């Protein structure tokens, strides 16, 4: 039995495509399980699959109208996939983060969370909160 190089390449490409489709549906299942039961199976593998196939997973969720919350009549919000990825990263990095002494920690927060009337100066190091109370960001600084 002789195989030429194009046949082998074709088999490899089709195999990778089928594996990708399977991983997308596995990712959807892991997201639904995580969102409904708040249980995570193999967190690092889940993060890899969901991060790698984020866009196709969102398309499958939207196409099949998969609900990720208790309200069966709600519109699907694929942003919940982003929330899950953030929660997974937080869960996986919590031990590393807590080992860093408090005085050496840095928390990066998007500027869209600050009040439009924030008087805090923006320095080269970033925004320096002065605890004015116009937004809740100062609470993060206290913890």
């Amino acid at each position: 039995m002789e195989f030429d190089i194009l046949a082998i390449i074709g088999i490899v490409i089709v195999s990778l495509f089928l594996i990708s489709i399977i991983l997308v549906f596995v990712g959807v299942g892991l997201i639904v399980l995580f969102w409904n039961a708040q249980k995570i199976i193999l967190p690092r593998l889940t993060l890899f699959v969901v991060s790698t196939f984020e866009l196709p997973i969102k398309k499958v969720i939207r196409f099949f109208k998969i609900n990720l919350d208790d309200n069966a009549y709600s519109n699907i919000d694929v942003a919940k996939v982003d929330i899950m990825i953030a929660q997974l990263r937080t869960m996986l990095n919590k031990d590393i983060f807590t080992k860093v002494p408090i005085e050496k920690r840095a928390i990066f927060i998007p500027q869209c969370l600050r009040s439009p009337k924030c008087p805090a100066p923006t320095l080269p190091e970033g925004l320096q909160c002065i605890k004015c109370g116009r937004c809740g960001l100062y609470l993060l600084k206290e913890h």
Side-chain angles (χ1 to χ4, degrees):
M1 212 189 239
E2 252 183 44
F3 281 99
D4 65 22
I5 191 74
L6 293 178
I8 294 172
I9 291 172
I11 291 170
V12 169
I13 289 173
V14 169
S15 299
L16 290 174
F17 180 73
L18 292 174
I19 290 169
S20 296
I21 290 174
I22 291 168
L23 286 174
V24 166
F25 283 97
V26 167
V28 169
L30 290 169
I31 288 171
V32 171
L33 177 68
F34 177 76
W35 200 263
N36 291 331
Q38 290 298 313
K39 291 182 181 176
I40 194 67
I41 299 171
L42 303 170
R44 293 194 191 285
L45 179 64
T46 300
L47 181 61
F48 171 76
V49 169
V50 174
S51 296
T52 304
F53 298 102
E54 181 178 352
L55 184 61
I57 286 172
K58 287 179 178 179
K59 297 286 185 186
V60 167
I61 288 173
R62 188 175 284 138
F63 180 79
F64 289 109
K65 296 181 171 81
I66 298 169
N67 288 310
L68 295 178
D69 48 11
D70 294 332
N71 185 355
Y73 300 104
S74 69
N75 292 331
I76 185 62
D77 184 7
V78 293
K80 291 178 182 175
V81 175
D82 298 328
I83 293 169
M84 181 199 160
I85 291 171
Q87 289 176 336
L88 266 172
R89 288 189 193 282
T90 300
M91 183 178 75
L92 290 172
N93 294 319
K94 185 177 182 178
D95 291 338
I96 297 167
F97 183 73
T98 55
K99 288 179 183 175
V100 175
I102 291 176
E103 40 304 325
K104 291 188 177 186
R105 290 183 190 172
I107 300 176
F108 299 93
I109 301 167
Q111 288 210 16
C112 63
L113 294 178
R114 82 183 238 207
S115 168
K117 298 178 182 178
C118 179
T122 304
L123 304 174
E125 298 84 28
L127 185 73
Q128 299 296 315
C129 180
I130 59 172
K131 300 180 184 179
C132 68
R134 291 192 173 116
C135 66
L137 295 180
Y138 71 94
L139 296 171
L140 292 173
K141 192 173 181 180
E142 290 178 3
H143 295 298

